[in-house]
Amino acid sequence: MVAAVAGLAASASAQAPFPDRPISLVVPFAAGGPTDVVARMIAVPMGKSLGQAVVVENAVGAGGTIAATKVARAAPNGYTLFIHHMGMATAPALYKKLSFDPLKDFEYIGQVVDVPMTLLGRKDFPANNLQELKAYIKANPNKVSLANAGLGAVSHLCGLLFMTQLGAELNTIPYKGTGPAMNDLLGGQVDLLCDQTTQTVPMIKEGRIKAFGVTTLKRLSALPNVPTLDEQGMKGFEVKVWHGMYAPKGTPKPVLDKITAALQAAMQDPMVRQRLADLSSEPAPMDKINASGLKTHLEAEIAKWGPVIKKAGIYAD
């Protein structure tokens, strides 16, 4: 009798409609960083669509690979999701030993948002524009520090591209996420940082940090007075950070369909779209907020960044 009751309970549990409890959305970087901002922005409207809270969980370290491994090994039931930026495409080239395969260990939910970057300086940095910054670095070799969110992070890659075009080496300082790096920039402990507009636009407007340029080929509507690095002489300098959402491999298709529909609804939410616009970020096109859209983009980005990173001989492990 007890066994029969237990069997009925198990059967009822197995047939419970998804979701019947909160969902964890794993972010691979520190709270307060740009990817975390995007995650928290969409978590609430996704939760409303799904009828359960979507709770952001920060799993920090190793350029996002700790979080990716955590999600890849999680139960494929829809209750553990993952949001990551272009680091999913650069990891295979950046790490000699990778504990997950971006193309084999995940189900794809959809692209989320594209975010430009900004080249920043501490508020009291002597230079006020890119030309003055170049002159200052030339006059003070090995004295300028450049923070990043850790080896392999987008801020690291953006900084490498900046140093390559600048033709100079800076003292690079890795952090566990751009949140802590930004805190030290605000506090004057470091000189420069590349960071995404989701975090930097408000602080630039408030005058808490200096902006030397944006990494798009056209100026941003949210920062019309900040020139592009391209127009200031760094021709072709363009870095946009795309984000995607994933689930563990083997997550049932009906569950994935519900999550995808919730993500699509969140990206059409007027408040989300307005906040993204305020931060000069662009929601992914609706025809890309699905499994095929993200998979195709990820494959293309792996093919794009792999040769670049390997040629530079950069490894994060």
Side-chain angles (χ1 to χ4, degrees):
M1 181 69 174
V2 173
V5 171
L8 288 172
S11 176
S13 175
Q15 295 174 10
F18 173 85
D20 63 358
R21 62 181 187 271
I23 296 167
S24 177
L25 177 57
V26 179
V27 174
F29 305 110
T35 303
D36 181 75
V37 170
V38 171
R40 294 179 191 277
M41 193 184 303
I42 63 176
V44 172
M46 283 188 68
K48 288 180 180 178
S49 294
L50 292 166
Q52 289 286 343
V54 175
V55 181
V56 173
E57 175 187 347
N58 300 92
V60 181
T65 60
I66 289 176
T69 301
K70 173 185 175 73
V71 175
R73 295 174 179 173
N77 54 17
Y79 290 98
T80 303
L81 306 177
F82 185 42
I83 184 170
H84 198 1
H85 56 40
M86 56 191 278
M88 279 290 271
T90 58
L94 280 167
Y95 292 85
K96 296 177 182 177
K97 295 181 179 180
L98 199 59
S99 54
F100 65 92
D101 187 326
L103 294 175
K104 295 180 180 179
D105 294 338
F106 299 91
E107 302 290 351
Y108 307 98
I109 296 171
Q111 292 185 49
V112 181
V113 62
D114 291 333
V115 185
M117 305 271 299
T118 44
L119 177 63
L120 310 165
R122 55 182 167 84
K123 183 178 179 179
D124 58 350
F125 194 82
N128 294 304
N129 54 53
L130 185 61
Q131 298 309 316
E132 290 182 8
L133 175 59
K134 290 179 178 179
Y136 184 88
I137 291 172
K138 185 176 181 180
N140 297 273
N142 303 316
K143 291 184 179 180
V144 179
S145 57
L146 173 64
N148 63 57
L151 292 176
V154 179
S155 55
H156 178 221
L157 297 174
C158 180
L160 287 173
L161 184 59
F162 173 68
M163 288 188 291
T164 298
Q165 293 215 12
L166 190 65
E169 289 290 327
L170 305 180
N171 296 321
T172 56
I173 304 175
Y175 287 79
K176 291 184 177 180
T178 45
M182 177 58 76
N183 287 337
D184 274 8
L185 185 73
L186 291 168
Q189 282 78 44
V190 292
D191 298 319
L192 305 174
L193 171 68
C194 282
D195 200 2
Q196 300 174 48
T197 55
T198 42
Q199 175 159 278
T200 65
V201 168
M203 288 182 280
I204 292 171
K205 289 183 174 180
E206 293 166 7
R208 299 172 64 193
I209 48 179
K210 289 184 177 180
F212 294 112
V214 297
T215 65
T216 48
L217 299 181
K218 294 182 179 180
R219 293 196 185 196
L220 306 178
S221 58
L223 298 170
N225 296 322
V226 179
T228 70
L229 295 176
D230 175 81
E231 72 180 84
Q232 296 181 83
M234 290 191 163
K235 295 301 180 183
F237 196 110
E238 183 178 27
V239 180
K240 280 188 177 182
V241 187
W242 60 271
H243 293 71
M245 188 175 289
Y246 310 80
K249 189 71 174 180
T251 301
K253 188 176 186 304
V255 170
L256 292 172
D257 289 344
K258 282 190 175 182
I259 297 169
T260 299
L263 176 60
Q264 291 173 342
M267 298 314 298
Q268 294 183 81
D269 183 281
M271 292 185 67
V272 170
R273 296 183 75 89
Q274 183 57 55
R275 191 172 177 201
L276 287 173
D278 291 342
L279 298 173
S280 287
S281 303
E282 301 176 355
M286 288 304 297
D287 62 352
K288 301 296 183 183
I289 309 177
N290 54 48
S292 62
L294 177 55
K295 184 175 187 291
T296 299
H297 190 65
L298 177 62
E299 290 172 339
E301 286 287 287
I302 289 175
K304 169 186 173 181
W305 283 101
V308 174
I309 294 169
K310 289 177 181 178
K311 183 178 180 180
I314 304 167
Y315 295 100
D317 57 0

